[in-house]
Amino acid sequence: MKLKELESCLQQVDGFEEPKILLEQYPTSPHIAGCMLYTIHNTFDDIQNKLVADLGCGCGVLSIGAAVLDAGLCVGFDIDEDALDIFKGNVEDFELSNIDMVQCDVCSIGSSYAKKFDTVIMNPPFGTKHNQGIDMQFLQTAISMASTAVYSLHKTSTRDHIQKKANDWKVKMEVIAVLSEQQEYKESYAEP
């Protein structure tokens, strides 16, 4: 699938009508989601036939994109029942069978999903609305869940902090692409 086709497909995903500010429910645009997923799929081969987790999935744009790119199964995790209701409607509209969802607090997943997924994708809350450090909690959970790679969107201003945390956690971090002046996505994975 071409990038423009993927972006066009993702424009059909319904988003939040009333996002919850405290949960930092900002949308991942079809352009950013498309670029991120296209690169993960075509450059790193970390989606097709893989078990993919989407942490803080919201309405499901990343999950749906991964499913459209033939993930073996993509499981979206989110704390908000309203977001998952929108996600469920999107999955039904797209008639996708390789998607599932779990309502839970991503920061409380613990070891129940340790190394159960090939790839973890996410656009985590940045911790700007009374949730300081939540982005690092999401990242640490993602690293514990992934057996191969984590792809995560972050503010460019947090790059040095994330690199320090990656070093502390003994994982390799690479900046894959800067998608806008505010966000970039990174690949992090455990050292063998």
Side-chain angles (χ1 to χ4, degrees):
M1 174 179 280
K2 293 182 179 181
L3 176 57
K4 286 187 179 196
E5 292 173 303
L6 180 59
E7 282 186 45
S8 178
C9 176
L10 296 178
Q11 288 175 357
Q12 307 307 310
V13 176
D14 290 335
F16 296 106
E17 289 183 22
E18 295 182 30
K20 296 174 182 168
I21 301 301
L22 289 178
L23 293 178
E24 297 188 49
Q25 292 178 330
Y26 44 85
T28 306
S29 74
H31 172 71
I32 288 176
C35 288
M36 177 183 183
L37 294 166
Y38 185 84
T39 301
I40 295 167
H41 175 67
N42 289 297
T43 304
F44 300 100
D45 193 29
D46 282 333
I47 293 182
Q48 188 173 17
N49 299 318
K50 306 289 188 206
L51 184 55
V52 178
D54 177 6
L55 303 187
C57 62
C59 300
V61 68
L62 292 175
S63 292
I64 289 168
V68 167
L69 291 171
D70 295 323
L73 177 67
C74 186
V75 181
F77 293 82
D78 204 286
I79 195 169
D80 184 39
E81 183 178 358
D82 296 331
L84 292 174
D85 285 343
I86 298 168
F87 185 4
K88 183 179 179 185
N90 283 324
V91 170
E92 290 170 358
D93 290 347
F94 278 82
E95 299 178 353
L96 296 167
S97 61
N98 58 340
I99 267 189
D100 202 354
M101 59 196 76
V102 174
Q103 183 179 3
C104 69
D105 180 349
V106 168
C107 297
S108 299
I109 286 177
S111 62
S112 56
Y113 291 100
K115 303 300 178 206
K116 299 287 186 198
F117 292 87
D118 299 303
T119 305
V120 176
I121 56 177
M122 63 181 179
N123 185 2
F126 291 164
T128 58
K129 302 292 181 192
H130 310 291
N131 297 314
Q132 187 173 6
I134 197 166
D135 54 340
M136 294 298 99
Q137 290 176 354
F138 266 67
L139 196 51
Q140 195 166 25
T141 298
I143 290 167
S144 76
M145 292 173 69
S147 63
T148 304
V150 171
Y151 298 91
S152 185
L153 293 163
H154 294 276
K155 291 180 175 182
T156 55
S157 63
T158 63
R159 183 182 304 162
D160 290 341
H161 179 67
I162 294 170
Q163 182 63 65
K164 181 184 177 307
K165 286 294 189 181
N167 293 340
D168 291 348
W169 297 334
K170 299 190 181 350
V171 296
K172 181 180 176 187
M173 181 190 97
E174 296 178 47
V175 175
I176 305 300
V178 175
L179 299 174
S180 75
E181 290 188 22
Q182 289 77 40
Q183 295 180 324
E184 63 188 49
Y185 63 99
K186 303 173 185 312
E187 172 188 23
S188 303
Y189 52 92
E191 288 290 324

